[in-house]
Amino acid sequence: MARNSSGNRTLDGFDRAILPIVQRDNKTPQRSIGEAVNLSAAAVQRRIAAMEADGVIERNVAIVDARAVAMTITAIVEVTLIDERLPTVDSAKSLFHAAPEVQQCYYVTGGISFVLVIVAPDMVEYEAITRRLFQQNDCVASFRSLIALDRLKTGAEIVIP
């Protein structure tokens, strides 16, 4: 297995062919993956295990349909902090990371501090979340909620060059 100058695993053509398949469905049988990429099932298994060990594959998860579990509100929230000092930013990162309702959290540039994706069962619960995470948080100067009308595309697949 080759490594680049940063010590990270260098992906070869086989790894790059395997990754889109397991991103779509990580339960795809290794035999089927092997047939698709011209490797044995054992070679596929070794490569997947190596990519997991090296952190290329971070987790194996199930994607749950939010509507199936009655999480009908999806909000994209822009959060502006009172300042960008490390203690303020670190405090916000910690709070947002620990909140189970926060599905995604990005620390960003461009006039706002964070963009969050939050799911909730209804507007009453969403308001309670905003009170806890933003209104009662001394680090937050302001926030703006964008409520999704429809989920056109969601996913975690990364394009593999």
Side-chain angles (χ1 to χ4, degrees):
M1 157 184 28
R3 302 242 177 228
N4 63 22
S5 61
S6 301
N8 297 326
R9 174 187 173 87
T10 301
L11 301 178
D12 65 14
F14 289 115
D15 295 330
R16 292 178 186 285
I18 291 168
L19 285 171
I21 297 169
V22 297
Q23 282 190 107
R24 276 190 305 277
D25 183 359
N26 72 350
K27 288 190 172 187
T28 302
Q30 292 171 354
R31 175 186 39 75
S32 298
I33 297 170
E35 289 170 2
V37 302
N38 295 317
L39 286 174
S40 69
V44 169
Q45 188 278 329
R46 284 192 301 273
R47 285 174 175 274
I48 290 173
M51 287 189 284
E52 289 172 340
D54 290 340
V56 174
I57 297 174
E58 290 183 5
R59 298 175 290 157
N60 290 291
V61 299
I63 306 299
V64 176
D65 181 348
R67 292 173 296 226
V69 293
M71 297 299 272
T72 58
I73 303 297
T74 299
I76 296 87
V77 184
E78 299 175 347
V79 180
T80 303
L81 299 180
I82 57 169
D83 60 56
E84 296 293 325
R85 293 175 318 157
L86 285 177
T88 305
V89 172
D90 289 346
S91 174
K93 283 181 178 181
S94 178
L95 178 65
F96 299 154
H97 186 269
E101 306 88 354
V102 176
Q103 190 176 42
Q104 297 177 48
C105 178
Y106 302 93
Y107 179 46
V108 300
T109 65
I112 58 174
S113 306
F114 288 89
V115 175
L116 285 67
V117 177
I118 296 176
V119 293
D122 54 44
M123 287 306 288
V124 171
E125 182 59 26
Y126 180 68
E127 181 186 8
I129 294 166
T130 63
R131 286 175 184 265
R132 186 178 82 247
L133 294 180
F134 313 128
Q135 294 168 350
Q136 297 171 355
N137 185 340
D138 292 335
C139 295
V140 174
S142 65
F143 72 98
R144 181 173 84 138
S145 298
L146 305 165
I147 305 300
L149 299 176
D150 191 11
R151 289 177 185 231
L152 301 180
K153 180 179 180 180
T154 61
E157 291 180 32
I158 295 174
V159 174
I160 308 297

